[in-house]
Amino acid sequence: MTSTIHVDRISKRYRIGQLGPRGASQYRTLQETLIDAVKAPIRRLANPSLSGKIEDFWALRDVSFDVEPGEVVGIVGRNGAGKSTLLKVLTRITEPSEGRAELRGRVGSLLEVGTGFHPELNGRENIFLNGAIMGMTRGEIRRAFDQIVDFSGVEQFLSTPVKRYSSGMRVRLAFSVAAHLNPEILLIDEVLAVGDAGFQRKCLGKMGDVARSGRTVLFVSHNMAALQNLCTRGVLIEGGRLMGDGAISQVISQYLGMFESTGGSRDLTDATEGRRGTGDARFGEVELLSTRGEPVSSIFMGEGLTIRAQIHATRPIQAGFVAYNIYNDEGVRLFALNCHVMQQLKFDLDGGRTASIECRIPKLNLSDGLYRISLDILDAHYRGVDQLEQAVSFEVLRGDVYGTGRSTHGKTAIYVQADWQIDAD
């Protein structure tokens, strides 16, 4: 059988050390480029430390695999592992530095919010533009048009330029276009990162329909439950290299096993793997405490837990806040803790200052097992400042979760406290 996707020793190299000042626009005019070229030798003479700082960074290195027609493949890996770069190579957004990729069939893709949309065109025009880029006739696009609009829920904004859409609106329309124009190959990069819970369920349902229709799907996600439900095969990327390829459950286990055991506390000062954000502030240390204030790496079911984190600002940060996500050992996010959403708490820090933030959970009614916490610092605009995946872990031991002296039967993810009343004649 001829492969739908053939990836042969793909490598992608970037040159780092050439970017302008932080926050500068990535788009430059010809005039700016020429002026910069004239001034560069003078700057290097004035400041010799600017010379010789260009380095090669390999986002992908010798990645090879094949995907057969009708396969649904989940791509997993830490932030910065090279997953998104791989999809950009496959969709011809970026050229590989080495190797080649062959895709046999019409390709639909959703990579980043708004990718493939022209900001000055309205929603209706962008639907037809995307369809044309995919090689569809105007008649084919018209036949799918009503389904696309109905699924996306942006009907009343079809005449509005896409540049005025919210990120949620853009991703809803982009996913609808990618999923409804009947491509033979569908490439999806973390579609569940944007959008409300209802839309996320619709996306998963539609992706299930696409998978059952016999089309080929590559799905990048950190949602292990979604990958487990939708995919039959998994590919693990780490450090730009292919580290695993096999049954999805096996690859997910391999991925989760990569996170070092950091029970109870962790010094994050020099941690780099899986770290992203602007870097204006960084976690220095995280520590888990019992309700008595003692450092712990495990608690009994029903006991409380405190998460204490040290934050150091490298630059001034205003209206920052902290959010934690708690995952079980299968990588399923169980709940989130957000100090801004829960208690309207934010902090201001000058550069060079440090703050200590505590999150106290009076009663943690989780089932017994291993759990991991991801840490996030965000700014007033919800931009990531410092984000670490599954940075610290703890264990919940089986115990008297309700404090009644009676043990629970069976196993559930979370035990809910409730008050009961019985009225009988």
Side-chain angles (χ1 to χ4, degrees):
M1 181 183 294
T2 304
S3 300
T4 304
I5 301 174
H6 174 63
V7 178
D8 182 21
R9 299 180 65 84
I10 286 289
S11 296
K12 179 62 184 178
R13 178 183 61 195
Y14 290 101
R15 309 300 299 275
I16 59 176
Q18 306 183 87
L19 298 177
R22 185 178 170 275
S25 170
Q26 68 184 93
Y27 303 105
R28 297 169 60 81
T29 65
L30 176 60
Q31 181 183 9
E32 289 172 332
T33 302
L34 292 174
I35 292 173
D36 191 59
V38 172
K39 289 183 175 179
I42 300 173
R43 284 200 303 267
R44 281 195 292 271
L45 285 173
N47 189 356
S49 65
L50 293 175
S51 301
K53 288 200 170 184
I54 296 175
E55 300 176 7
D56 289 339
F57 169 72
W58 291 90
L60 293 172
R61 201 68 192 257
D62 295 329
V63 174
S64 299
F65 61 89
D66 289 277
V67 181
E68 304 304 324
E71 272 197 296
V72 183
V73 180
I75 302 179
V76 299
R78 288 188 267 207
N79 290 325
K83 308 182 299 297
S84 297
T85 302
L86 175 61
L87 290 198
K88 287 178 180 177
V89 170
L90 295 180
T91 51
R92 305 291 195 269
I93 289 176
T94 185
E95 289 291 322
S97 303
E98 297 174 2
R100 64 192 181 96
E102 297 178 6
L103 285 80
R104 300 178 176 91
R106 196 158 53 194
V107 179
S109 63
L110 178 57
L111 304 187
E112 296 173 355
V113 175
T115 298
F117 281 170
H118 193 295
E120 300 296 337
L121 300 181
N122 63 34
R124 179 180 291 102
E125 292 164 338
N126 269 293
I127 292 174
F128 280 91
L129 173 63
N130 271 257
I133 290 172
M134 290 171 58
M136 300 186 68
T137 67
R138 197 168 184 83
E140 288 177 308
I141 301 170
R142 280 201 190 99
R143 284 192 289 275
F145 186 85
D146 289 343
Q147 288 179 296
I148 293 170
V149 174
D150 181 64
F151 188 94
S152 67
V154 299
E155 182 175 5
Q156 66 186 109
F157 304 102
L158 283 179
S159 298
T160 303
V162 165
K163 67 181 180 181
R164 296 196 175 98
Y165 282 21
S166 68
S167 60
M169 291 166 63
R170 287 198 297 272
V171 80
R172 287 201 299 271
L173 185 58
F175 180 84
S176 299
V177 170
H180 285 85
L181 291 183
N182 297 321
E184 286 86 12
I185 302 170
L186 185 60
L187 308 178
I188 301 292
D189 187 359
E190 200 59 80
V191 67
L192 300 181
V194 178
D196 56 35
F199 176 69
Q200 291 176 10
R201 286 192 294 271
K202 285 175 65 175
C203 284
L204 288 173
K206 184 61 182 176
M207 288 176 65
D209 294 341
V210 170
R212 286 187 291 273
S213 70
R215 284 175 275 174
T216 303
V217 180
L218 257 63
F219 180 31
V220 170
S221 180
H222 286 100
N223 187 324
M224 299 300 130
L227 290 168
Q228 190 88 48
N229 290 332
L230 290 172
C231 306
T232 55
R233 174 182 165 198
V235 169
L236 173 61
I237 305 290
E238 172 66 14
R241 296 183 180 272
L242 181 71
M243 303 299 290
D245 186 350
I248 187 65
S249 56
Q250 173 188 338
V251 170
I252 288 175
S253 296
Q254 183 180 353
Y255 166 64
L256 294 175
M258 287 166 36
F259 293 96
E260 61 179 297
S261 176
T262 54
S265 64
R266 185 178 177 190
D267 184 350
L268 300 168
T269 307
D270 299 319
T272 56
E273 289 187 356
R275 193 169 204 154
R276 54 180 177 156
T278 64
D280 290 350
R282 291 169 68 93
F283 286 104
E285 183 181 8
V286 61
E287 187 176 25
L288 304 183
L289 307 171
S290 69
T291 53
R292 297 176 296 278
E294 301 165 344
V296 293
S297 59
S298 62
I299 61 172
F300 284 102
M301 294 164 59
E303 288 187 339
L305 185 70
T306 295
I307 306 169
R308 177 190 292 167
Q310 300 291 330
I311 295 174
H312 179 74
T314 56
R315 300 182 184 90
I317 179 171
Q318 281 78 45
F321 61 97
V322 167
Y324 303 138
N325 292 295
I326 284 74
Y327 297 82
N328 66 12
D329 201 28
E330 296 176 348
V332 177
R333 188 175 76 159
L334 300 179
F335 59 91
L337 303 165
N338 184 314
C339 69
H340 172 50
V341 171
M342 300 173 81
Q343 285 187 260
Q344 297 294 301
L345 291 179
K346 291 190 174 184
F347 61 84
D348 298 328
L349 274 181
D350 294 330
R353 299 295 299 274
T354 298
S356 177
I357 296 180
E358 287 192 359
C359 174
R360 300 183 187 91
I361 309 169
K363 200 172 178 64
L364 196 57
N365 292 343
L366 295 174
S367 181
D368 55 313
L370 183 67
Y371 298 87
R372 296 183 173 92
I373 306 174
S374 293
L375 312 176
D376 293 278
I377 304 172
L378 301 106
D379 65 16
H381 304 288
Y382 271 77
R383 288 188 297 250
V385 176
D386 192 25
Q387 300 176 292
L388 294 104
E389 293 181 63
Q390 307 191 39
V392 65
S393 64
F394 66 97
E395 186 177 6
V396 174
L397 307 174
R398 194 158 189 83
D400 182 6
V401 64
Y402 295 123
T404 61
R406 297 177 181 273
S407 61
T408 57
H409 297 281
K411 185 167 183 175
T412 183
I414 298 174
Y415 293 90
V416 177
Q417 193 77 37
D419 293 323
W420 294 81
Q421 180 176 323
I422 298 176
D423 293 321
D425 293 334

